[in-house]
Amino acid sequence: MVRKHTPMDSEKVDRIIAEARAEKARREKTYRERALKIFPWICARCGREFSGKRLRELTVHHKDHNHDNNPLDGSNWELLCLFCHDNEHSRYLDQEGPDEPAPGSDRKPATSFKPFAALDSLLKEKK
Ligand SMILES: [Zn+2]
Ligand SMILES: [Zn+2]
């Protein structure tokens, strides 16, 4: 008996991935265009100016690192060159939080803050 092998599943998966990619690219293009309309074409970190072909190097950064948060007034966007954008993200990984204290602020470092320490002893008391 001859059974024809149908690679349906992997084809389906490929298609879903391709569609997801296209959708992501489409969304990115939309908010990038919008951001380029409302912001000057300048990297918010290093101040380099971009125009023409080099505009490709200017990317949209999400201040809260949530790419689904795209308010149309641009309040969650920042235009960064590829280099500064990269920097911004490695900094984010190091500090695990976008709300770093301002320079000169005497806020305690996040590591000494244990929000669950009190809760822990409370639970122990209650048994
Ligand atoms: Zn830059
Ligand atoms: Zn970013």
Side-chain angles (χ1 to χ4, degrees):
M1 156 175 156
V2 179
R3 255 180 110 187
K4 207 179 158 201
H5 179 67
T6 50
M8 262 308 280
D9 280 352
S10 76
E11 260 173 31
K12 204 170 157 189
V13 169
D14 282 353
R15 204 177 59 230
I16 289 167
I17 291 171
E19 273 167 15
R21 277 209 192 115
E23 165 67 16
K24 188 169 174 274
R26 196 183 58 77
R27 262 198 319 165
E28 266 169 23
K29 193 164 171 277
T30 311
Y31 66 63
R32 187 169 184 275
E33 267 168 15
R34 170 90 194 162
L36 289 174
K37 260 185 208 147
I38 56 182
F39 293 122
W41 297 351
I42 294 170
C43 172
R45 285 286 174 284
C46 67
R48 271 203 287 164
E49 284 183 42
F50 292 85
S51 61
K53 269 189 186 172
R54 306 226 10 238
L55 195 59
R56 276 181 313 176
E57 293 170 35
L58 197 60
T59 55
V60 178
H61 169 64
H62 291 76
K63 288 182 185 175
D64 70 353
H65 291 250
N66 177 5
H67 287 211
D68 294 319
N69 183 13
N70 293 300
L72 288 179
D73 63 356
S75 54
N76 191 37
W77 300 330
E78 214 167 31
L79 290 178
L80 297 179
C81 73
L82 289 174
F83 180 76
C84 294
H85 200 168
D86 233 45
N87 261 346
E88 187 64 28
H89 280 255
S90 43
R91 209 161 62 100
Y92 180 68
L93 290 178
D94 287 348
Q95 299 188 348
E96 53 182 28
D99 58 339
E100 63 202 276
S105 119
D106 56 4
R107 210 179 78 173
K108 283 196 176 122
T111 43
S112 69
F113 178 58
K114 294 192 179 98
F116 299 115
L119 184 70
D120 207 49
S121 58
L122 234 135
L123 287 173
K124 269 176 199 152
E125 270 170 39
K126 276 192 166 183
K127 218 167 54 175

